[in-house]
Amino acid sequence: MTRKAVKGSVIADLLAENPIQDYEALDFEFPDEHINEVDCEEEGRADVWEMYFDGAVNLSGNWIGAVLISPDGKHFPIAVKLRFDCTNNVAEYEACVMGLQAAIEMKIRKLEVYGDSALIIYQVKGEWQTKDSKLIPYQKYLLELIKKFEEISFTHLSRDKNQFADALATLAVMAQIEEG
């Protein structure tokens, strides 16, 4: 026998036919009305920045995007057009490199890096080997950049959680940016 969807009207009918006899309204009194905000920030994490990166390769061109987010929530977006043909993995490496270079220029010492490219994240962490000859120099350069940070971590995100950097790279592809 197949399962059938229960429609909302059936549930409403059931509730109407079987009322609760000892129903009491909820008590909406909030005993801590004076509390306006609860701060959950971890101690010692106040100086950690976040970086999200993504690359976009399509018929319109090759673009990369990254965004640096300060501990107080300010966003610093970066978008660059690549003037050479490349694969999606090269664009992802370029985006990560560009974001790290910007972080170094901004004198950021502690950084959490997020990207939706599992290949880049796991190669940088040393969990996957780099076999593509085009990617080996990128990985080596990225490892050199990493040494310039006091603390750095890399985390793989699904594409839906990397929307800002993805949108930045995609919008950069769609925008017409003049030379200079």
Side-chain angles (χ1 to χ4, degrees):
M1 194 166 159
T2 61
R3 296 175 74 183
K4 295 187 178 192
V6 177
K7 297 196 177 211
S9 61
V10 173
I11 294 172
D13 291 343
L14 178 68
L15 292 173
E17 291 173 11
N18 301 301
I20 299 171
Q21 300 302 327
D22 59 345
Y23 172 77
E24 287 184 27
L26 293 175
D27 183 13
F28 291 106
E29 185 178 322
F30 187 63
D32 296 320
E33 291 175 344
H34 64 282
I35 297 176
N36 292 328
E37 181 179 335
V38 177
D39 189 9
C40 296
E41 188 175 313
E42 297 176 35
E43 280 191 38
R45 305 304 293 168
D47 58 346
V48 178
W49 287 60
E50 293 179 358
M51 183 188 94
Y52 296 82
F53 69 92
D54 198 18
V57 175
N58 58 36
L59 295 174
S60 301
N62 306 326
W63 291 81
I64 55 177
V67 62
L68 291 164
I69 303 173
S70 69
D72 62 351
K74 291 181 182 158
H75 289 62
F76 299 88
I78 308 158
V80 174
K81 179 178 183 174
L82 300 178
R83 298 195 170 271
F84 57 91
D85 290 330
C86 64
T87 64
N88 190 51
N89 289 333
V90 168
E92 294 282 350
Y93 259 113
E94 286 279 348
C96 188
V97 164
M98 180 202 51
L100 291 181
Q101 288 173 332
I104 290 166
E105 285 180 28
M106 295 172 70
K107 302 198 181 339
I108 295 169
R109 303 298 304 145
K110 297 178 182 178
L111 185 65
E112 294 175 351
V113 180
Y114 300 95
D116 58 21
S117 172
L119 181 84
I120 308 310
I121 299 297
Y122 294 120
Q123 284 180 348
V124 169
K125 288 174 136 182
E127 295 177 25
W128 291 0
Q129 290 182 350
T130 308
K131 295 180 182 176
D132 187 340
S133 61
K134 287 181 260 172
L135 300 181
I136 291 172
Y138 282 105
Q139 183 191 24
K140 286 181 180 178
Y141 184 60
L142 213 53
L143 293 174
E144 288 301 314
L145 291 176
I146 288 170
K147 293 176 185 175
K148 298 185 180 194
F149 292 91
E150 194 176 298
E151 284 180 28
I152 190 165
S153 66
F154 288 83
T155 305
H156 177 252
L157 294 177
S158 59
R159 184 167 294 266
D160 64 322
K161 293 196 172 107
N162 198 26
Q163 291 178 348
F164 191 84
D166 183 49
L168 190 62
T170 304
L171 285 173
V173 168
M174 296 166 44
Q176 295 295 323
I177 300 174
E178 294 182 21
E179 295 276 334

